[in-house]
């Protein structure tokens, strides 16, 4: 039986005791809900992979409390970081970024320390570390007094959960405890940055490339998503991910300016299914696009904008919730308007949407 627990001191103690008995617990963070286990406990780590049905080549992020001083010293003391493999530039990047953004939605990839099990890193010689900003995650870390490995609390390849109810949908019956910290405030996974040379963004998130570059006074490359399911330099960045159960296509142009050929492809797709179409727009009013789509297909169209007022942070917060909602409606086909040219948090939204969709 899976219980959703409010984060009272007594329930936090119950969750911490479960973690210390090698159990896994779903926890709120400001990005998405995580499925946590003690990072040094191989039984707990193996359980995370089984519960999520996650392939072991996809490494986990280790969550730590806010470092009291320089991050490199703290992480080395915990046995998470090997400081001898951190060059002076990388050390400076780690400490600067940790100081600027922790606690918060930024994951830093560093040379792996001696206490980190292979299961955490998928055998890589680096480890990903984050200090979550959600007060419940921080309180739990303080109670357990161990780093917690926590990937998103969804089955592999599916939509990340941003509420306790989503976790229940994903993992109900498979875990005992979900700590309920309310809806995730950021709503999209952390930005992942490798601090060793050359520094790069391995996964875009709500902390933008522009902001990181300003903080570091240097430019960052963005790693390309991986096309295939095999071990590689930036595991987990798979081309197909975050996917709803239904067919989800992205349009090559706005509904008002599709070529005849694209309209033909769309109509063929629609003929193959029954029922209404769900349309998702990232920013702005979705109604005009819905009207066009209705005219082109002759089907009812349920239109959803991630932020009708055009606020990218609101769009990030609504992304996974909306995908989950559309997946559960009667819509036979999901369609995304073309993704905007992206900077800032929009880059992360476009990244997730392009991996949740296939081109028309
Ligand atoms: P999630 O399961 O969404 O919490 O994300 C974990 C992701 O962090 C992985 O799928 C990778 O993209 C990234 N990650 C974790 N560890 C590493 C690492 N050592 N090197 C590169 N990327 C990593
Ligand atoms: Mg995930």
């Amino acid at each position: 039986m899976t219980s959703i627990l409010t984060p009272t001191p007594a329930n936090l103690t119950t969750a911490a005791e479960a973690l210390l008995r090698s159990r896994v617990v779903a926890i709120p963070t400001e990005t998405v809900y995580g499925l946590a286990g003690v990072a040094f406990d191989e039984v707990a780590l193996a359980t995370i992979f089984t519960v999520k049905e996650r392939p072991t080549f996809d490494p986990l992020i280790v969550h730590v409390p806010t470092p009291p001083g320089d991050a490199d010293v703290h992480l080395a003391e915990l046995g998470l970081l090997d400081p001898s493999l951190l060059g002076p530039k990388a050390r400076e990047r780690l400490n600067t970024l940790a100081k600027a953004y922790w606690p918060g939605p930024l994951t830093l990839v560093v040379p792996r320390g001696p206490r980190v099990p292979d299961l955490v890193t998928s055998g890589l010689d680096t480890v990903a570390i984050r200090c979550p900003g959600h007060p419940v995650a921080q309180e739990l870390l303080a109670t357990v007094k161990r780093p917690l490995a926590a990937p998103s609390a969804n089955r592999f390849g599916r939509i990340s959960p941003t509420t306790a109810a989503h976790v229940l949908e994903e993992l109900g019956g498979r875990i005992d405890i979900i700590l309920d910290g309310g809806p995730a405030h950021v709503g999209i996974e952390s930005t992942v940055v490798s601090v060793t040379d050359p520094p790069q963004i391995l996964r875009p998130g709500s902390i933008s490339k522009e902001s990181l570059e300003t903080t570091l006074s240097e430019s960052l490359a963005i790693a390309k998503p991986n096309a295939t399911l095999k071990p590689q330099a930036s595991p987990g960045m798979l081309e197909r991910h975050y996917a709803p159960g239904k067919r989800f296509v992205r349009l090559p142009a706005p509904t008002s300016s599709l070529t005849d050929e694209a309209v033909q492809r769309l109509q063929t797709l629609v003929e193959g299914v029954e029922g209404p179409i769900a349309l998702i727009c990232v920013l702005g009013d979705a109604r005009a696009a819905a009207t066009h789509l209705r005219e082109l297909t002759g089907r009812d169209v349920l239109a959803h904008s991630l932020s009708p007022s055009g606020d990218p942070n609101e769009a990030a917060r609504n992304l996974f919730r909306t995908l989950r909602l559309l997946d559960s409606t009667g819509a036979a086909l999901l369609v995304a308007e073309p993704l905007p040219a992206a900077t800032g948090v929009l880059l992360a939204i476009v990244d997730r949407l392009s991996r949740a969709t296939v081109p028309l």
Side-chain angles (χ1 to χ4, degrees):
M1 239 276 285
T2 304
S3 313
I4 296 185
L5 302 181
T6 51
T8 59
N11 285 339
L12 280 165
T13 303
T14 304
E17 284 168 0
L19 287 164
L20 292 171
R21 287 196 317 271
S22 302
R23 310 303 294 248
V24 297
V25 171
I27 63 166
T29 83
E30 73 277 29
T31 58
V32 302
Y33 273 69
L35 181 63
V38 171
F40 302 139
D41 181 335
E42 310 237 5
V43 172
L45 297 171
T47 309
I48 291 175
F49 285 94
T50 317
V51 164
K52 275 188 62 103
E53 300 169 33
R54 181 176 175 114
T56 50
F57 63 69
D58 195 0
L60 308 178
I61 295 173
V62 176
H63 294 67
V64 295
T66 313
D70 279 341
D72 67 325
V73 174
H74 184 63
L75 299 179
E77 272 169 14
L78 291 171
L80 295 174
L81 163 75
D82 183 343
S84 71
L85 298 176
L86 201 63
K89 276 301 288 174
R91 177 174 178 275
E92 198 186 315
R93 282 182 204 114
L94 166 62
N95 289 338
T96 305
L97 292 176
K99 194 171 227 91
Y101 299 102
W102 281 2
L106 179 67
T107 296
L108 298 171
V109 173
V110 302
R112 158 192 185 176
R115 291 196 70 190
V116 182
D118 272 340
L119 263 179
V120 167
T121 67
S122 310
L124 293 170
D125 51 12
T126 53
V127 61
I129 300 178
R130 173 157 106 85
C131 174
H134 198 295
V136 173
Q138 285 285 341
E139 278 170 53
L140 186 64
L141 284 163
T143 313
V144 183
K145 298 190 172 62
R146 312 254 188 308
L148 295 175
S152 51
N154 52 280
R155 280 171 278 148
F156 183 71
R158 292 196 20 98
I159 303 166
S160 300
T162 55
T163 66
H166 296 166
V167 180
L168 191 67
E169 265 173 50
E170 288 289 322
L171 306 178
R174 299 181 184 205
I175 58 175
D176 298 330
I177 299 174
I178 302 171
L179 281 177
D180 188 350
H185 171 71
V186 174
I188 205 161
E189 297 88 345
S190 58
T191 309
V192 180
V193 174
S194 170
V195 300
T196 45
D197 290 318
Q200 51 178 332
I201 295 178
L202 300 178
R203 176 175 72 184
S206 68
I207 294 181
S208 70
K209 177 176 178 332
E210 296 78 8
S211 162
L212 292 162
E213 288 180 337
T214 305
T215 305
L216 287 175
S217 307
E218 66 181 325
S219 53
L220 292 173
I222 300 187
K224 290 257 172 307
N226 299 316
T228 50
L229 274 167
K230 57 177 164 44
Q232 41 223 318
S234 173
M237 288 288 283
L238 300 169
E239 235 167 44
R240 281 291 284 161
H241 210 64
Y242 309 104
K246 290 177 182 159
R247 188 190 278 262
F248 189 9
V249 296
R250 58 177 184 272
L251 299 178
T255 41
S256 54
S257 49
L258 287 173
T259 61
D260 291 347
E261 211 193 338
V263 170
Q264 186 64 52
R265 281 201 302 275
L266 182 64
Q267 286 170 343
T268 309
L269 261 187
V270 170
E271 277 160 24
V273 294
E274 275 175 28
I277 300 173
L279 174 72
I280 186 165
C281 297
V282 177
L283 298 176
D285 194 334
R287 280 172 299 186
T291 305
H292 284 130
L293 194 60
R294 198 172 293 123
E295 283 162 4
L296 292 174
T297 61
R299 293 292 174 90
D300 281 344
V301 176
L302 317 159
H304 290 263
S305 170
L306 298 183
S307 173
S309 68
D311 170 2
N313 289 317
E314 182 186 39
R317 227 169 7 251
N318 283 332
L319 173 67
F320 290 132
R321 194 173 62 79
T322 306
L323 291 185
R324 205 168 271 278
L325 182 79
L326 294 181
D327 208 18
S328 67
T329 60
L333 177 71
L334 313 184
V335 173
E337 276 268 271
L339 308 176
T343 56
V345 66
L346 277 180
L347 185 71
I349 298 175
V350 167
D351 168 69
R352 305 306 190 271
L353 268 179
S354 52
R355 288 193 271 144
T357 52
V358 290
L360 174 69

